[in-house]
Amino acid sequence: MMPKGTFSKLCYPLLVSALLYHSAGMAATITHETKVGDITLTALSESQSDGKIDKLLNFSDADKAKLAPDGTYKAGLNAFLVQSNGKNVLVDTGFGTNLFDNLASLNVKPENVDTILLTHMHPDHIGGLLKDGKVTFPDSRIYVSQKEYEYWKDNEKVKPILDAYRDQITRFVPEEIGSNKDLLPGIDAWQAYGHTPGHTVYFLHSKNSSLLIIADLTHAVYIQAAVPDVAITYDVDPQMAVKSRKAIFDYVSAHKIPVAGMHVPFPGSGKLLSTGNGSFSFQPD
Ligand SMILES: [Zn+2]
């Protein structure tokens, strides 16, 4: 079924040709816009793919048979653009694959991105920060949690990025889940440690609406909603990642807060509904 997103404002048959052009060197732009009160949230799709369940941990044979009989799960990679009060805030940058074409399709130039909020510093989230060794967002302030910065600061792949953006980085300590202390107007940062030591989720709120950008709290959202104990080999601390996932799933389902995630299949957002006994079901937008 065709997702509800805006495919470069083209209809479906044209999308197919846009994707064909992609393989010939022209990028496809795939974005999806939602409103959170006065905030405009746009998913910027970097890629869509299936994952293989051999990367998943704590996944019982019975659950595999039920939830992933063909051995795969639906996934993807998204960054998000948050626009309010005339400001452009990017949450993660993906690998930088489609990012700049997606931003251009929204008339946002890299130099007009005011702020970049990082959820964590894995390459599929910070890859768009450098191109050919050069800074891609010369006028952006980059926010990263203190613990995340500490963990990666001497890593050979991350250090060049931190060095290039040295004067643009703000380190901060995310709040407890559910706190309402703004990091930026309408955006709170909450601790979701485990996937990486400083993994951070971002809570958007405006008027009576809200949404939580859950970052990499899920990689296989349908499976991990049903069985939040399922972790992934990419988790630095799988046990802590499970704890964070359960706490946040409980919070968003109790408060009916929609979610958007970096590895949630396009359009990257939906609702987590409790089905009892610590299980949830993910309803995509
Ligand atoms: Zn990731």
Side-chain angles (χ1 to χ4, degrees), residues 97-115:
T97 317
N98 297 329
L99 182 74
F100 299 97
D101 292 309
N102 278 330
L103 288 172
S105 78
L106 302 166
N107 295 316
V108 176
K109 296 191 177 99
E111 53 269 37
N112 298 135
V113 171
D114 301 279
T115 307

Side-chain angles (χ1 to χ4, degrees), residues 76-77 92 119-120 122-125 195 215-216 218-219 234 262-263:
L77 176 61
D92 287 351
T119 62
H120 64 299
H122 274 154
D124 51 330
H125 300 260
H195 175 56
D216 280 20
T218 66
H219 292 80
Y234 315 130
M262 276 54 190
H263 298 294

Side-chain angles (χ1 to χ4, degrees), residues 3 8-9 48 71 78 97 135 169 187 216 226 247 271 278:
S8 297
K9 301 187 181 72
Q48 296 167 70
N78 312 299
T97 317
V135 161
I169 294 175
I187 307 179
D216 280 20
K271 290 184 184 67

Side-chain angles (χ1 to χ4, degrees), residues 2-22 26-33 42-45 48 98-107 266:
M2 182 193 163
K4 280 186 294 182
T6 306
F7 292 93
S8 297
K9 301 187 181 72
L10 301 176
C11 61
Y12 182 61
L14 288 177
L15 164 70
V16 175
S17 42
L19 292 174
L20 287 175
Y21 279 124
H22 184 58
M26 280 177 67
T29 59
I30 303 182
T31 61
H32 176 81
E33 185 185 301
T42 307
L44 311 173
S45 172
Q48 296 167 70
N98 297 329
L99 182 74
F100 299 97
D101 292 309
N102 278 330
L103 288 172
S105 78
L106 302 166
N107 295 316
F266 190 79

Side-chain angles (χ1 to χ4, degrees), residues 233-245:
T233 51
Y234 315 130
D235 290 334
V236 173
D237 183 340
Q239 243 182 321
M240 197 191 284
V242 166
K243 215 174 137 206
S244 290
R245 181 160 44 255

